[in-house]
Amino acid sequence: MFAEAVAGKKLVYLYRILSEQSTESGVQIAFTTENERTKSKDADSTATKDGSIRVPGAAEVEITATSIMTKEDTMIAKLEEVLDNDALLEIWECNLDRPAEEENKFESTYYQGYLTELDITSSAEDMVEVSMTFGINGDGVKGDATVSQEQQDVAAYVFTDTQPTGDNPEPTSLGA
């Protein structure tokens, strides 16, 4: 049996401002083109008569996101406010290729941290790009998180039959 790779669009990130957890759901950042999670440790080296020994420090986790800015999305403005006010964020890394037993639940890792960098780049020939860096507290906690059907649909084409549905759907950006 061959191992099957996970497509990048199947690993989604949801965000929420911690102070809004009683009223808001976690949301995706629109038109995300790339995410990255980095875990690293510094190690101190101590010279001994037998040679150097290394003592690892605490692990640090950083999450980055890059997206194309949309006219309608208010999340970027909210995140800039979060950066200005040092507000704590919740972030879920959800693997849509690893469904849990409950409907719309997926294997996930939950993090809390701060937005530490927000970069908006606008060139003459391309769309406006937003890059963000999140400094994470601790290592994260594994569990199952809810990803709505709408959020799942953003990550994949959804099969539609050839027959009329009776709906007049709004245009969507498939594969975003």
Side-chain angles (χ1 to χ4, degrees):
M1 184 168 141
F2 291 99
E4 190 175 337
V6 175
K9 64 184 179 180
K10 292 293 191 169
L11 197 62
V12 298
Y13 287 79
L14 305 176
Y15 305 85
R16 178 173 62 198
I17 301 166
L18 181 65
S19 64
E20 296 178 352
Q21 90 177 165
S22 64
T23 58
E24 300 291 330
S25 297
V27 297
Q28 290 170 288
I29 294 173
F31 297 127
T32 298
T33 58
E34 184 174 81
N35 287 107
E36 181 177 350
R37 177 174 47 92
T38 305
K39 188 181 267 191
S40 62
K41 285 186 179 186
D42 288 332
D44 291 330
S45 184
T46 303
T48 71
K49 293 179 182 180
D50 298 320
S52 294
I53 59 171
R54 295 188 54 91
V55 179
E60 293 184 16
V61 178
E62 228 177 43
I63 294 173
T64 61
T66 303
S67 69
I68 304 300
M69 183 180 277
T70 66
K71 295 176 184 177
E72 299 81 15
D73 188 12
T74 60
M75 188 60 173
I76 301 301
K78 284 176 80 169
L79 287 173
E80 188 164 0
E81 192 175 308
V82 161
L83 176 64
D84 293 342
N85 296 317
D86 299 324
L88 194 57
L89 290 164
E90 298 174 289
I91 302 172
W92 293 264
E93 179 187 84
C94 305
N95 187 340
L96 300 183
D97 268 347
R98 303 287 306 242
E101 290 184 22
E102 288 183 60
E103 187 177 352
N104 294 329
K105 294 259 189 185
F106 296 87
E107 188 177 283
S108 302
T109 306
Y110 170 76
Y111 300 97
Q112 288 186 357
Y114 295 94
L115 180 60
T116 58
E117 186 176 350
L118 177 73
D119 182 45
I120 298 175
T121 305
S122 57
S123 68
E125 296 179 358
D126 295 321
M127 301 292 190
V128 175
E129 186 176 83
V130 182
S131 300
M132 294 152 282
T133 302
F134 302 89
I136 302 302
N137 295 335
D139 294 327
V141 179
K142 296 202 180 295
D144 296 332
T146 301
V147 181
S148 72
Q149 188 60 53
E150 180 182 350
Q151 291 165 329
Q152 293 173 52
D153 291 349
V154 170
Y157 284 102
V158 176
F159 182 82
T160 302
D161 199 357
T162 60
Q163 300 302 303
T165 62
D167 297 338
N168 195 3
E170 293 294 318
T172 60
S173 58
L174 296 174

